[in-house]
Amino acid sequence: MAHSILIIEDEQDLALGVRDALTNAGFQAEVAGDGPSGLARLRASPFDLVVLDLMLPGMNGLELLKTLRRERQDVRVLILTAMAEEDDLIAGFQAGADDYMSKPFSPRELVARVEAQFRRRDSATPARARLDLPGGISVDLARLEVYRKGQVIPMTPREGDILEYLMRHRDKVVTRDDLLVDVWHYKSPNVETRTVDIHIVGLRRKIEVDPAKPQFIQTVRGKGYRWFS
Ligand code: CA
């Protein structure tokens, strides 16, 4: 059955162009033109993916995303930003977005990203488990929670996937391209994207004793990242 996609975007020409490109690619796609009607559609039907503009009338995209994530974790969310402002992106990813695109973009590019979201990782992964890190920090990859100083900090499914991937490849340096291909399922990693770096920043805020001096997710200059624990 075709995956169903809701496009929440108030720029009508853009929304309809995206809808047509997705429909041509075999998806079921429909458009909501503002925040409240988008949320109402999401509550009424089990969409598989949402293309969510951040600047929306009625209710902004970030607010909508936070509300949605309180109700559903399984729907994939791709946010659209007018300017790739790092703070907006971090806020979007922390609120549970899976990926983003900066405007302007071509509908073909968006279709490729959406298809990547539905590509499944090889499921022969080791059991997700609880992990105790130095500094009194614990991570539960099954529950997607970080425990530190008596606090429970939720992780997004994507953050869990990244952590698991880094841990599974702890004996080597993991490049951004590795993550884009294996975790994000991009067909071609040769895209200009800060998605990986921004997710790493977000993860470090949750799991590092001092996010400014990361000890678990270390940067290997000019190469990528490596897990140390
Ligand atoms: Ca807009």
Side-chain angles (χ1 to χ4, degrees):
M1 216 177 72
H3 290 297
S4 59
I5 298 169
L6 181 65
I7 302 144
I8 309 179
E9 165 64 83
D10 59 311
E11 284 171 57
Q12 208 186 17
D13 290 349
L14 175 64
L16 296 180
V18 165
R19 184 196 64 188
D20 293 347
L22 288 168
T23 306
N24 286 335
F27 295 102
Q28 278 181 2
E30 60 179 272
V31 173
D34 61 67
S37 67
L39 190 59
R41 286 296 297 129
L42 284 170
R43 283 174 170 153
S45 298
F47 288 94
D48 299 303
L49 184 143
V50 188
V51 175
L52 175 64
D53 186 34
L54 287 185
M55 295 282 280
L56 286 171
M59 177 185 211
N60 77 48
L62 204 56
E63 247 179 278
L64 193 155
L65 178 55
K66 286 179 184 162
T67 306
L68 174 66
R69 280 292 181 236
R70 279 195 289 272
E71 298 170 17
R72 282 186 66 186
Q73 290 291 325
D74 58 327
V75 60
R76 298 160 177 80
V77 178
L78 192 154
I79 53 178
L80 304 180
T81 61
M83 293 163 292
E85 285 292 337
E86 188 133 325
D87 286 348
D88 281 354
L89 288 178
I90 291 175
F93 286 133
Q94 302 246 357
D98 296 289
D99 202 353
Y100 80 98
M101 295 207 74
S102 298
K103 296 179 186 178
F105 55 82
S106 74
R108 216 181 50 176
E109 213 182 336
L110 182 122
V111 167
R113 284 301 175 84
V114 167
E115 285 171 340
Q117 287 294 327
F118 289 113
R119 221 162 292 140
R120 294 241 156 208
R121 175 163 48 97
D122 184 346
S123 60
T125 54
R128 294 186 161 207
R130 184 167 165 137
L131 179 89
D132 294 314
L133 299 172
I137 295 166
S138 299
V139 177
D140 190 323
L141 283 173
R143 302 176 68 98
L144 293 174
E145 287 174 345
V146 179
Y147 312 99
R148 56 188 301 165
K149 293 178 189 149
Q151 260 192 306
V152 181
I153 303 162
M155 278 191 294
T156 67
R158 180 72 77 203
E159 287 172 336
D161 288 346
I162 297 167
L163 259 190
E164 188 181 49
Y165 189 86
L166 289 171
M167 289 174 189
R168 198 146 40 92
H169 297 89
R170 61 175 68 219
D171 53 338
K172 65 166 210 163
V173 175
V174 170
T175 65
R176 290 175 182 77
D177 285 359
D178 289 337
L179 290 165
L180 287 172
V181 170
D182 292 339
V183 177
W184 270 267
H185 310 295
Y186 282 20
K187 269 186 197 145
S188 156
N190 303 319
V191 285
E192 266 306 307
T193 178
R194 287 181 297 155
T195 301
V196 171
D197 298 333
I198 291 166
H199 269 86
I200 296 288
V201 168
L203 256 177
R204 282 174 172 159
R205 284 187 185 169
K206 294 180 183 177
I207 66 163
E208 294 284 355
V209 180
D210 178 359
K213 292 184 191 138
Q215 53 181 133
F216 308 132
I217 303 176
Q218 297 193 355
T219 300
V220 181
R221 272 183 73 177
K223 292 192 172 143
Y225 300 101
R226 188 162 183 180
W227 179 260
F228 278 90
S229 75

